[in-house]
Short mmCIF file of all heavy atoms in Angstrom, two decimals:
data_model
loop_
_atom_site.label_atom_id
_atom_site.label_comp_id
_atom_site.label_asym_id
_atom_site.label_seq_id
_atom_site.Cartn_x
_atom_site.Cartn_y
_atom_site.Cartn_z
N SER A 76 -6.03 47.66 -59.36
CA SER A 76 -5.67 47.11 -60.62
C SER A 76 -4.43 47.82 -61.03
O SER A 76 -3.93 48.93 -60.47
CB SER A 76 -6.77 47.43 -61.63
OG SER A 76 -6.89 48.71 -62.02
N GLY A 77 -3.75 47.32 -62.10
CA GLY A 77 -2.59 47.98 -62.62
C GLY A 77 -2.90 49.34 -63.12
O GLY A 77 -2.20 50.41 -62.89
N MET A 78 -4.10 49.47 -63.85
CA MET A 78 -4.50 50.76 -64.41
C MET A 78 -4.76 51.69 -63.24
O MET A 78 -4.47 53.02 -63.36
CB MET A 78 -5.72 50.63 -65.32
CG MET A 78 -5.40 50.10 -66.77
SD MET A 78 -3.94 50.78 -67.54
CE MET A 78 -4.27 52.51 -67.53
N ILE A 81 -1.51 53.14 -62.33
CA ILE A 81 -1.02 54.10 -63.36
C ILE A 81 -1.81 55.36 -63.30
O ILE A 81 -1.23 56.53 -63.25
CB ILE A 81 -1.06 53.39 -64.71
CG1 ILE A 81 -0.05 52.32 -64.87
CG2 ILE A 81 -0.89 54.45 -65.89
CD1 ILE A 81 -0.27 51.34 -66.03
N TYR A 102 1.56 48.98 -73.22
CA TYR A 102 0.21 48.61 -72.92
C TYR A 102 -0.79 49.68 -73.26
O TYR A 102 -0.64 50.84 -72.85
CB TYR A 102 0.09 48.37 -71.38
CG TYR A 102 -1.17 47.74 -70.89
CD1 TYR A 102 -1.38 46.35 -71.27
CD2 TYR A 102 -2.18 48.36 -70.25
CE1 TYR A 102 -2.47 45.76 -70.81
CE2 TYR A 102 -3.29 47.79 -69.89
CZ TYR A 102 -3.51 46.41 -70.15
OH TYR A 102 -4.65 45.84 -69.73
N GLU A 142 8.05 51.63 -70.66
CA GLU A 142 7.57 50.24 -70.40
C GLU A 142 8.68 49.36 -71.19
O GLU A 142 8.73 49.39 -72.38
CB GLU A 142 6.27 50.04 -70.99
CG GLU A 142 5.63 48.66 -70.63
CD GLU A 142 4.25 48.48 -71.26
OE1 GLU A 142 3.40 49.42 -71.20
OE2 GLU A 142 4.02 47.35 -71.79
N ASN A 146 5.11 45.83 -74.30
CA ASN A 146 4.13 44.73 -74.48
C ASN A 146 3.34 44.99 -75.73
O ASN A 146 2.78 46.14 -75.77
CB ASN A 146 3.36 44.77 -73.24
CG ASN A 146 2.22 43.79 -73.16
OD1 ASN A 146 2.12 42.91 -73.98
ND2 ASN A 146 1.29 43.98 -72.18
N ASP A 171 6.79 51.15 -65.99
CA ASP A 171 5.75 50.06 -65.81
C ASP A 171 6.61 48.76 -65.83
O ASP A 171 7.06 48.38 -66.91
CB ASP A 171 4.77 50.16 -66.93
CG ASP A 171 3.66 49.03 -66.78
OD1 ASP A 171 3.97 48.02 -66.16
OD2 ASP A 171 2.57 49.28 -67.34
N THR A 173 5.56 45.73 -65.11
CA THR A 173 4.62 44.55 -65.06
C THR A 173 5.18 43.23 -65.56
O THR A 173 5.12 42.21 -64.98
CB THR A 173 3.27 44.85 -65.74
OG1 THR A 173 2.66 46.03 -65.13
CG2 THR A 173 2.33 43.68 -65.72
N ALA A 193 1.15 45.90 -62.64
CA ALA A 193 -0.06 45.18 -62.54
C ALA A 193 0.23 43.92 -61.83
O ALA A 193 0.81 42.96 -62.43
CB ALA A 193 -0.65 44.95 -63.89
N THR A 195 -1.93 41.99 -61.03
CA THR A 195 -2.89 41.04 -61.62
C THR A 195 -2.15 39.88 -62.34
O THR A 195 -2.67 38.75 -62.40
CB THR A 195 -3.67 41.83 -62.67
OG1 THR A 195 -4.18 43.11 -62.14
CG2 THR A 195 -4.70 40.96 -63.37
N LYS A 196 -0.99 40.19 -62.75
CA LYS A 196 -0.14 39.27 -63.61
C LYS A 196 0.60 38.25 -62.73
O LYS A 196 -0.02 37.71 -61.82
CB LYS A 196 0.67 40.10 -64.63
CG LYS A 196 -0.07 41.21 -65.28
CD LYS A 196 -1.08 40.73 -66.30
CE LYS A 196 -1.98 41.76 -66.77
NZ LYS A 196 -1.33 42.98 -67.47
N LEU A 205 -7.59 41.19 -59.72
CA LEU A 205 -6.85 42.28 -60.35
C LEU A 205 -6.26 43.08 -59.14
O LEU A 205 -6.83 43.25 -58.04
CB LEU A 205 -7.83 43.19 -61.10
CG LEU A 205 -8.12 42.67 -62.51
CD1 LEU A 205 -9.45 41.92 -62.47
CD2 LEU A 205 -8.15 43.75 -63.51
N PHE A 206 -5.12 43.59 -59.36
CA PHE A 206 -4.32 44.34 -58.27
C PHE A 206 -3.21 45.04 -59.01
O PHE A 206 -2.78 44.83 -60.09
CB PHE A 206 -3.71 43.31 -57.37
CG PHE A 206 -3.62 43.76 -55.93
CD1 PHE A 206 -4.83 43.84 -55.15
CD2 PHE A 206 -2.50 44.15 -55.35
CE1 PHE A 206 -4.70 44.23 -53.81
CE2 PHE A 206 -2.35 44.55 -54.00
CZ PHE A 206 -3.52 44.61 -53.23
N PHE A 324 -1.34 37.63 -68.68
CA PHE A 324 -0.20 36.77 -68.66
C PHE A 324 0.25 36.64 -67.21
O PHE A 324 -0.24 37.40 -66.31
CB PHE A 324 0.89 37.33 -69.52
CG PHE A 324 1.34 38.72 -69.26
CD1 PHE A 324 2.22 39.01 -68.23
CD2 PHE A 324 0.89 39.73 -70.00
CE1 PHE A 324 2.56 40.32 -67.91
CE2 PHE A 324 1.24 41.10 -69.76
CZ PHE A 324 2.12 41.37 -68.71
C1 PLP B 401 -2.13 44.27 -67.53
C2 PLP B 401 -1.20 45.49 -67.70
C3 PLP B 401 -1.53 46.73 -67.08
C4 PLP B 401 -2.88 46.93 -66.53
O1 PLP B 401 -3.19 46.11 -65.42
P1 PLP B 401 -4.66 45.84 -64.92
O2 PLP B 401 -4.54 45.10 -63.60
O3 PLP B 401 -5.42 45.08 -65.99
O4 PLP B 401 -5.29 47.17 -64.69
C5 PLP B 401 -0.72 47.69 -67.25
N1 PLP B 401 0.52 47.63 -67.74
C6 PLP B 401 0.92 46.39 -68.32
C7 PLP B 401 2.23 46.28 -68.96
C8 PLP B 401 0.06 45.31 -68.28
O5 PLP B 401 0.49 44.16 -68.82
#
Side-chain angles (χ1 to χ4, degrees):
S76 66
M78 282 316 304
I81 291 168
Y102 192 70
E142 190 183 316
N146 178 9
D171 183 335
T173 300
T195 308
K196 314 290 169 56
L205 281 96
F206 212 76
F324 55 80

